[in-house]
Every structure is written in structure tokens, then in C-alpha cells.
Amino acid sequence: ERELDDWLARAAAYETAAGPPAVAGPGVVDGLARQALAQEHQAGLGLQPNSTHCFVCGLHNPYGLKMRFLQVEPQRVRAYAVVPEVYQGYPGVVHGGVLAAMLDEVTGRAASGTDPETARLFYTLRLTLRYRHATPTQRLLRLEGWVTKDKGRVVSAQGAVYDAATGQRYVEAEALLMALPDDVRSQLDPDALGWKIYPLDL
């Protein structure tokens, strides 16, 4: 009840404000997320490939999140993000659909690897989410994705969104993934997708 009261108070303040709050525009990579990513990359964690137009990982998508992913261990990945208020649902709260997209990406990447030429790519067959707490916009988030079962063509994975400072778990997910068939994979054009590892300062 207290959390609901707090949210209602924030919503009322938002509605009665004289003007809209200053917000980051879509696609802005927050300095906190970039710093956290750079520190872990310098500590030895490898970067995964990015694309150009994907909503979550497309670095040239003006409306996208431009998220970068680190390989923590062979079947575990990590990412950092600060979601701007343009992607809110309720005032100050990240829209649940945006969180679903982020978790779809981080679970799908858990078994991918870092080599653009041999990275495993997947379709999501099922994605189940549990929203444990409202996820705030404009706050540094840490995402984790890890494989729980790997049968080759079919992979089960889990993921979660945490507060990077406190460790509070906001959302958790379970995913069932299927590797792209060889004939589909062979038709993908990495250059057209922009599928490669980009420097962190991009």
C-alpha cells in the first residue's frame, strides 16, 4: 500500500506540474551506463556484437535503447541501461513492454557468444515475466541473462533487471528459445544488419 501511495503522489505531482520535466531523448546513452560498461569491459569482459536498427541493440536506431552486452562467462551476459522518461508507462515508471523487450534481448543473448561470425541467434518461443516492483526511469539498471538448459537447437534461459546501486530485483523472466534454422541464418547479411562489435565510444 505504501508503494502505491508513493506512486499516486508522484502521479499527482506530475499531472499538476507547470510544465513537463526535463527528460533524456530516445536513444540517449546515459553516462552512468556507459561508465559501468566501460569499467567491466576494461576488467576483461568481452563485448557482444550490436546491430544498427534493432530497437534494443541497434546503435543507429534514433528511437532505440542502444544497449551494449558483456559476456560475463560462456552462457551469461550483462548489460546496463538508463531508460529515459519517454519510455514510461506510469509517471516515472518504465513501461512494462519496454522491460519485456530488454529481457527478451538479454535472455536471447545468453547463449550467443562474442564472435559476430559464429554467434548463435535465436527466435523467442516463449517469454514469461514477473514484475516484482515498479522499475524507475532515469536510474541505472543492471540486466543479467543466463542459460539454464542448452539442448542445441532449443535453449532455456532466465534474466532479471536489477537496480545497479541497491541490487533490488525489479523484473525477472524465463525464456524458451529456438536457434535460427541453418537456411535462415545463411540468408542473413551481416553487413546489412550492421552486425559487428563496435567501439565503446560510438
Side-chain angles (χ1 to χ4, degrees):
E1 290 185 5
R2 182 176 180 181
E3 185 175 350
L4 178 59
D5 290 341
D6 289 345
W7 175 85
L8 289 172
R10 287 204 316 271
Y14 184 90
E15 292 292 338
T16 58
V23 298
V28 173
V29 178
D30 185 87
L32 290 174
R34 188 188 297 275
Q35 182 180 19
L37 189 80
Q39 287 176 347
E40 297 210 2
H41 181 51
Q42 290 169 3
L45 299 188
L47 284 169
Q48 286 195 331
N50 277 69
S51 69
T52 50
H53 301 299
C54 170
F55 171 68
V56 176
C57 76
L59 297 183
H60 296 163
N61 184 337
Y63 303 104
L65 299 173
K66 294 182 171 64
M67 288 177 59
R68 311 292 293 271
F69 296 83
L70 293 161
Q71 194 79 42
V72 178
E73 53 191 49
Q75 293 194 318
R76 189 181 188 99
V77 294
R78 178 176 299 150
Y80 292 92
V82 175
V83 182
E85 289 187 355
V86 290
Y87 295 129
Q88 68 184 343
Y90 296 110
V93 177
V94 181
H95 192 286
V98 173
L99 289 164
M102 295 165 72
L103 283 161
D104 179 60
E105 188 83 17
V106 77
T107 53
R109 284 174 169 269
S112 289
T114 58
D115 186 340
E117 294 186 6
T118 61
R120 298 167 70 188
L121 302 177
F122 297 90
Y123 292 126
T124 302
L125 300 179
R126 184 174 65 241
L127 182 67
T128 305
L129 273 67
R130 181 183 179 191
Y131 297 93
R132 299 173 63 95
H133 301 282
T135 305
T137 57
Q138 305 287 61
R139 186 166 179 84
L140 183 61
L141 307 174
R142 187 182 87 249
L143 289 90
E144 303 273 346
W146 60 93
V147 171
T148 55
K149 187 179 296 184
D150 190 342
K151 295 184 177 180
R153 285 200 63 198
V154 178
V155 171
S156 297
Q158 293 182 357
V161 178
Y162 302 89
D163 188 290
T166 68
Q168 181 176 25
R169 183 181 290 202
Y170 292 122
V171 192
E172 54 197 28
E174 294 184 357
L176 183 65
L177 312 161
M178 183 181 74
L180 268 63
D182 292 340
D183 59 334
V184 174
R185 177 62 189 265
S186 66
Q187 293 176 25
L188 294 178
D189 182 350
D191 292 334
L193 294 173
W195 182 247
K196 62 182 181 179
I197 295 176
Y198 293 84
L200 276 178
D201 58 359
L202 183 64

